[in-house]
Amino acid sequence: MLYPVRNKYRDMTTLDGFWDFQPDPDKVGEEEAWFSSLPDPRPIAVPASWNTQYADLAEFFGLGWYQTETTLPSYWQQGSNRIYLRVGSANYAATVWLNGERVGHHEGGHLPFALDVTGIARPGESNTLTILVDAELLPDRVPPGRQGGNIMMGGTKPSGAFDFYPYSGLHRSVQFVSQPFWGIEDVTVTTDIDGADGLVHINVLAESFESVTAEMAGISASATGDDGSIDLTLRIPEARFWSPEDPYLYKLTVSLGTVDAYSLNVGIRTVAVQGDKLLLNGQPVFLKGFGKHEDFPFNGRGLNRAVVLRDAELYDWVGANSYRTSHYPYSEDWMDMADRRGYLIIDEIPAVGLDFGDAELVAKRSKQCSRALCELVMRDKNHPSVIAWSVANEPVVAGSVAGMFLGGGGPQKPPQDAIDRGTEYFRGMIDLAHQLDASRLALFVALGDRTPDSWFETADIVCTNQYPGWYSQSGDLAAARGALGAALDKCGAFGKPVMLTEFGADTVAGYHATNPEMFTEEYQSAMIEMAMAVIAERPYMVGFHNWCFADFATRGSILRVGGENRKGVFTRLREPKMAAHTLRRAWKGEEE
């Protein structure tokens, strides 16, 4: 999972650009050997969602074939290097052929996978790469599809059991990578603080008996291991500790004799929970920010580095210091930007739309979620910005999300066996997160006030999404204030830190009224001010994330004007609504 780099030992080539593409609604491509040649292709941009590029693909969620030709550098022929193909994100699943030979399969969008193609790739010659992306929305996938959808919350098309558009395709870069055959396989960095000094613990996995040297800030250490796993510790005197106020990054270089080397940025910081406080570097910290989405009109969920930078600029402008990767892992570019800017991230797997009513579906989804968590920790473990792993968003015992918010579609008295299955899932996933990474917190994000106590007891932080004033107490902010306070107090009874991870109101930009009315910019601003006042009265609160940063595409329904969730404080094109100025004044203390 080490991100590809170029140095004197390693090389890569990126295949971003226009590929050939052909939809396969009848699922005949593999039988007809489309992996060798597409019969009737059209051009398509990579990375980007196919749904945003052609009108006839806007609601196509089937099989899509991508194909391109590339020539690899001839100097990659040296026998000391391996060649990998790395796919940054293929949503939902991908099967890969290189030069007509099937080389691998990966299930689960939003996370990278790498395939060893040494001996199949032909350096110095033309290579045909074909990727079949399967975007079907099925109930046993994560996130799950749902036949017929749910008109109460998100409409019937597309039929996902979640409230965002299920964009399909190759969403991040596809790369060929060349690296030493007996080189560095992985690097894991954790940090501690000892007085004014920083301690940097480094584990290196390498298929070599060469000595490993780690160097940072002029401090170095060397060691040799005989089992492929080598541990080193660097003490950095008078270290600068990474924080939102000072996101200082050190450059760590790990060298494997004269065989291989890898460099990465390191932020020295600690994260912990003490009673009902969240601590960063031993001091209480309050998270202020948003839930958000990877979403933009022209590229869908495809990587757009200009949007990453613009969003970071708006984050700084509004005074936010954190976000949650709702509801799936974001690109490595987002993570790198958070490291540079000092944003605190709750890093979430794609476990949205889960319910625990069907034992067979729960078993299938749990396996996928466990794999996704392992892959996410492997990818993001070295980012100082990541402070917690989230193993689910808005899980319900049985029924539907709409039933939780709107009083229908779910039993008022949940079945005990479904509660028990959920408890087993959360206990197992939280334990797995701690086993994979003991240096960070683990949690899930609850929905409303019907989450079983046994689920909350598994988490390091109690995180809750609450929508009084919108889905309940609609239009009545006075009643919403009491409901929000009662819901937070119920969460506070666990004696843990509590975070309001979602609240908000759909708002049509430019729609105004003399009194705050639903859908107006005035109502959204008044709701935010109400929620901040409720939170300020409760010392156990350690943060809140407004839902959401910017409007985003979802399914059409009577609740979604123009097929968008418009709870953003910025429009989909990143124009500020009144609420953005309200938050800026609150978070930065600046009158404009």
Side-chain angles (χ1 to χ4, degrees):
M1 286 295 184
L2 290 177
Y3 193 76
V5 298
R6 281 193 179 98
N7 58 32
K8 65 180 180 179
Y9 305 107
R10 295 169 172 250
D11 199 7
M12 65 176 176
T13 181
T14 299
L15 305 183
D16 293 0
F18 290 108
W19 292 40
D20 289 334
F21 178 81
Q22 186 160 346
D24 186 9
D26 298 323
K27 303 181 181 180
V28 299
E30 190 164 0
E31 181 181 350
E32 296 180 2
W34 289 9
F35 46 80
S36 296
S37 179
L38 299 181
D40 186 24
R42 64 178 95 172
I44 200 162
V46 174
S49 302
W50 73 49
N51 315 89
T52 58
Q53 300 185 59
Y54 290 97
D56 64 316
L57 300 178
E59 295 187 1
F60 176 65
F61 305 101
L63 305 184
W65 291 78
Y66 289 81
Q67 195 167 84
T68 191
E69 299 282 332
T70 189
T71 300
L72 301 179
S74 58
Y75 59 82
W76 285 14
Q77 291 177 336
Q78 299 172 358
S80 60
N81 277 27
R82 276 197 180 112
I83 300 175
Y84 290 92
L85 175 74
R86 189 180 198 267
V87 180
S89 171
N91 196 25
Y92 171 79
T95 306
V96 181
W97 289 262
L98 181 60
N99 298 323
E101 184 173 339
R102 189 182 189 277
V103 293
H105 176 83
H106 180 264
E107 183 174 357
H110 316 294
L111 286 165
F113 64 94
L115 304 171
D116 190 336
V117 294
T118 309
I120 302 171
R122 299 193 291 253
E125 302 178 30
S126 179
N127 293 263
T128 300
L129 174 62
T130 307
I131 303 177
L132 170 61
V133 177
D134 177 357
E136 285 194 276
L137 297 165
L138 301 175
D140 61 352
R141 290 184 164 178
V142 178
R146 177 165 288 152
Q147 296 298 321
N150 190 304
I151 195 169
M152 295 293 287
M153 289 299 291
T156 59
K157 293 174 65 179
S159 60
F162 44 88
D163 186 25
F164 53 92
Y165 204 82
Y167 289 115
S168 311
L170 296 176
H171 286 150
R172 296 169 196 156
S173 294
V174 179
Q175 299 156 312
F176 279 104
V177 181
S178 173
Q179 65 188 56
F181 200 91
W182 299 105
I184 296 169
E185 293 295 316
D186 194 23
V187 178
T188 302
V189 178
T190 57
T191 60
D192 285 319
I193 293 174
D194 183 13
D197 296 350
L199 300 178
V200 181
H201 308 292
I202 306 154
N203 174 262
V204 181
L205 297 181
E207 296 184 25
S208 173
F209 295 103
E210 295 275 351
S211 174
V212 170
T213 299
E215 189 278 331
M216 192 175 91
I219 309 295
S220 64
S222 299
T224 301
D226 57 6
D227 60 354
S229 178
I230 301 165
D231 294 304
L232 307 99
T233 296
L234 301 178
R235 177 178 286 271
I236 309 300
E238 300 294 329
R240 288 177 65 176
F241 302 139
W242 185 96
S243 70
E245 295 74 27
D246 183 22
Y248 187 79
L249 296 172
Y250 292 89
K251 182 178 181 180
L252 169 69
T253 298
V254 177
S255 301
L256 184 63
T258 58
V259 174
D260 195 8
Y262 191 86
S263 297
L264 66 157
N265 291 325
V266 171
I268 299 175
R269 60 102 184 94
T270 60
V271 179
V273 162
Q274 188 176 78
D276 60 6
K277 298 293 183 265
L278 172 63
L279 304 181
L280 180 72
N281 302 333
Q283 300 298 317
V285 64
F286 189 86
L287 305 182
K288 50 188 181 180
F290 305 92
K292 61 195 308 294
H293 272 288
E294 286 185 312
D295 176 89
F296 201 68
F298 306 112
N299 48 273
R301 192 159 294 124
L303 174 63
N304 186 325
R305 292 183 174 89
V307 173
V308 173
L309 182 58
R310 181 59 180 157
D311 284 1
E313 284 292 291
L314 292 175
Y315 246 67
D316 291 348
W317 175 85
V318 80
N321 69 1
S322 60
Y323 63 83
R324 176 166 56 111
T325 67
S326 44
H327 301 296
Y328 41 81
Y330 294 173
S331 71
E332 281 117 329
D333 299 78
W334 282 102
M335 312 307 292
D336 288 340
M337 185 61 68
D339 291 344
R340 292 168 179 259
R341 299 286 184 122
Y343 308 143
L344 303 168
I345 295 178
I346 298 173
D347 210 356
E348 192 163 87
I349 64 173
V352 57
L354 300 185
D355 73 89
F356 295 89
D358 186 311
E360 183 177 353
L361 283 179
V362 169
K364 289 181 178 179
R365 293 172 182 166
S366 295
K367 289 181 180 179
Q368 296 173 60
C369 290
S370 296
R371 185 176 64 249
L373 180 60
C374 291
E375 292 180 355
L376 179 62
V377 174
M378 283 289 290
R379 192 195 74 165
D380 289 350
K381 61 189 175 183
N382 293 327
H383 288 284
S385 54
V386 177
I387 63 169
W389 309 108
S390 173
V391 302
N393 174 73
E394 295 188 348
V396 297
V397 176
S400 69
V401 170
M404 292 291 289
F405 275 133
L406 303 175
Q412 295 299 310
K413 186 176 181 180
Q416 187 61 45
D417 60 339
I419 293 176
D420 293 342
R421 280 191 288 270
T423 303
E424 181 181 1
Y425 170 85
F426 290 110
R427 184 178 294 123
M429 290 292 287
I430 296 293
D431 286 348
L432 176 60
H434 288 152
Q435 291 168 19
L436 293 169
D437 179 13
S439 70
R440 291 180 175 88
L441 309 175
L443 53 87
F444 72 95
V445 176
L447 171 65
D449 59 357
R450 295 194 213 166
T451 300
D453 288 356
S454 60
W455 295 10
F456 279 130
E457 289 165 358
T458 65
D460 294 325
I461 300 177
V462 176
C463 296
T464 181
N465 297 346
Q466 299 284 340
Y467 286 91
W470 194 252
Y471 295 118
S472 63
Q473 296 85 36
S474 303
D476 188 344
L477 291 181
R481 177 171 183 144
L484 178 60
L488 295 180
D489 287 340
K490 182 178 178 181
C491 293
F494 289 95
K496 300 180 179 184
V498 178
M499 183 172 180
L500 180 59
T501 35
E502 289 185 25
F503 71 97
D506 278 85
T507 305
V508 178
Y511 182 33
H512 296 278
T514 54
N515 294 319
E517 298 174 5
M518 293 182 72
F519 291 101
T520 65
E521 294 194 33
E522 286 79 8
Y523 189 82
Q524 184 184 38
S525 291
M527 175 181 281
I528 289 172
E529 290 173 335
M530 175 273 291
M532 288 192 295
V534 171
I535 290 167
E537 296 168 352
R538 289 161 170 80
Y540 53 77
M541 297 297 299
V542 296
F544 75 99
H545 283 168
N546 187 84
W547 188 260
C548 55
F549 173 70
D551 298 344
F552 59 90
T554 183
R555 294 170 285 171
S557 90
I558 56 175
L559 298 181
R560 299 291 178 252
V561 178
E564 292 184 8
N565 186 315
R566 295 178 182 254
K567 294 185 181 69
V569 302
F570 296 92
T571 69
R572 205 165 169 222
L573 291 175
R574 278 42 179 186
E575 300 157 330
K577 302 177 188 177
M578 182 185 296
H581 294 273
T582 298
L583 286 170
R584 185 171 192 258
R585 286 191 294 271
W587 288 345
K588 299 189 77 170
E590 297 178 6
E591 292 294 334
E592 301 169 73

